[in-house]
Amino acid sequence: MKTFLSTTGKGIARAFCGPDGRWSVEKAVEDQEVTCLAADPLRPGMIFAGTRTAGVLSSIDGGQSWTPAGLAGQTIKAIAASPHVPGVLFAGTKPACLFRSLDDGLHWEELSSFRRIFSRSFWFSPAETPFSAYVQGIALSPVDPAVILVGIEAGAVVRSVDGGTTWQDHRHGALRDCHSITFHASKGDWAYEGGGSGAGAAISRDGGNTWKQPKAGLDRHYGWACAADPQDPAICYVSLSPSPFKAHNDGNAQAYIYRSTEGGGWEKLGGGLPQPLDHMPYALLTHINEPGCVYAGLSNGDVWLSADRGDTWEQLPFHLPGIHRQMILV
């Protein structure tokens, strides 16, 4: 059963397709401001959510029911589950700190070395009061459990090669205003970032150590979501708007989804998508079991699917209450 979960600003919405092929939409969490979501890649149906005041929540049934999973009182802005060891979680907060759990959130420890990154004294985010920077994205290597990338809004993309014991400061070429960061599903050399600085998109081919910002074909530079084809790491996608004011002004985002391929620049995708998109694509999703497929989740709750790597698109027959910064597919 295919299930989409989205943060709505006031909770979690859940859309699922039943055995009869019909879609249903329900509110899974209504009493918490949910900020981020992560699916456990090792255990189907296991989901984690970060909240503004209640710490981490967990679900073992695909998001139907939720229980507290630690860090109560912390503002969780990013969360990730290990693709190597069941039960290992990382959570990033506002202000920018990083925590790790080895037991599904029963116990947490702060990775104190994260506070000693030299550039953090320059991190600053104008996005939310009290204007302190925060961890916006956590990416865990699919091949090396010791490699972790963390994106800060705004300030840096930092990297650990020893599981979080020590940290390399901002990586050359990465976007300092990180909005999303991810590894390829199986190729650990490839990583991708969408952000609000520079070209709006950055790509790494050495496990996040160095980055490039290809600009050819881009006529917008405020990036948010990024994703890559699970079969071909050279095929990647990014959503871009002209500015943060447009992107977050629902109904006038003036956004497009772009695709990059090996040896080429960025290509603006149409094929049935509105041109431009009035609602920001806060989510771009691919799945390792669906090569060639890419999903786009818009701020107004619409979800679009391309089964041919972005050449043509169709809108899925359900409507979420909203997609407020993030959506996952489980």
Side-chain angles (χ1 to χ4, degrees):
M1 181 178 72
K2 188 171 293 184
T3 302
F4 293 91
L5 296 170
S6 76
T7 59
T8 65
K10 297 181 179 179
I12 299 173
R14 181 173 180 267
F16 56 95
C17 186
D20 59 358
R22 295 184 179 182
W23 285 91
S24 299
V25 176
E26 63 184 18
K27 293 181 179 179
V29 174
E30 297 185 74
D31 58 347
Q32 295 290 344
E33 185 174 350
V34 180
T35 56
C36 54
L37 296 165
D40 190 324
L42 300 178
R43 295 172 292 178
M46 190 84 179
I47 314 294
F48 298 93
T51 71
R52 187 167 296 278
T53 59
V56 177
L57 306 176
S58 67
S59 172
I60 61 173
D61 54 14
Q64 297 180 67
S65 60
W66 297 83
T67 57
L71 295 180
Q74 295 279 357
T75 296
I76 312 298
K77 299 292 286 187
I79 194 163
S82 170
H84 305 285
V85 181
V88 174
L89 307 174
F90 293 86
T93 64
K94 177 179 180 164
C97 298
L98 193 66
F99 295 82
R100 179 177 60 195
S101 173
L102 305 179
D103 52 14
D104 285 327
L106 186 62
H107 303 91
W108 291 88
E109 60 173 335
E110 184 181 353
L111 300 181
S112 58
S113 60
F114 195 79
R115 289 180 180 259
R116 297 192 293 272
I117 297 172
F118 174 77
S119 69
R120 72 175 291 129
S121 58
F122 302 101
W123 300 352
F124 170 81
S125 176
E128 304 174 5
T129 55
F131 307 122
S132 60
Y134 46 86
V135 175
Q136 176 67 9
I138 303 170
L140 307 179
S141 168
V143 297
D144 187 343
V147 176
I148 307 168
L149 299 175
V150 174
I152 305 299
E153 186 174 0
V157 170
V158 299
R159 179 175 183 254
S160 176
V161 295
D162 54 16
T165 301
T166 61
W167 293 90
Q168 301 167 347
D169 212 324
H170 180 66
R171 308 319 300 149
H172 179 72
L175 303 169
R176 287 188 179 272
D177 186 14
C178 180
H179 293 150
S180 63
I181 191 165
T182 186
F183 276 99
H184 187 265
S186 61
K187 309 294 185 183
D189 289 342
W190 289 77
Y192 316 86
E193 182 191 8
S197 55
I203 301 172
S204 172
R205 298 189 184 187
D206 58 7
N209 187 38
T210 62
W211 297 74
K212 292 184 177 180
Q213 299 180 33
K215 298 180 181 179
L218 296 181
D219 59 356
R220 285 153 171 75
H221 303 289
Y222 185 81
W224 195 276
C226 60
D229 183 80
Q231 220 170 31
D232 186 347
I235 299 176
C236 56
Y237 310 90
V238 66
S239 61
L240 293 160
S241 176
S243 70
F245 307 103
K246 295 292 186 185
H248 307 315
N249 181 10
D250 206 23
N252 191 32
Q254 299 182 23
Y256 286 94
I257 299 169
Y258 298 77
R259 175 182 62 197
S260 181
T261 57
E262 183 73 46
W266 293 98
E267 176 186 3
K268 188 181 291 183
L269 299 180
L273 284 173
Q275 302 287 290
L277 291 158
D278 292 331
H279 306 280
M280 188 65 187
Y282 282 127
L284 294 175
L285 308 177
T286 58
H287 195 280
I288 196 166
N289 295 328
E290 295 184 285
C293 289
V294 56
Y295 298 87
L298 310 188
S299 61
N300 70 334
D302 291 344
V303 179
W304 292 75
L305 163 65
S306 172
D308 52 13
R309 294 184 168 91
D311 286 337
T312 60
W313 295 78
E314 63 173 321
Q315 187 175 349
L316 295 184
F318 63 86
H319 183 81
L320 291 161
I323 299 170
H324 190 81
R325 308 295 191 266
Q326 194 172 17
M327 180 179 73
I328 62 172
L329 170 63
V330 295

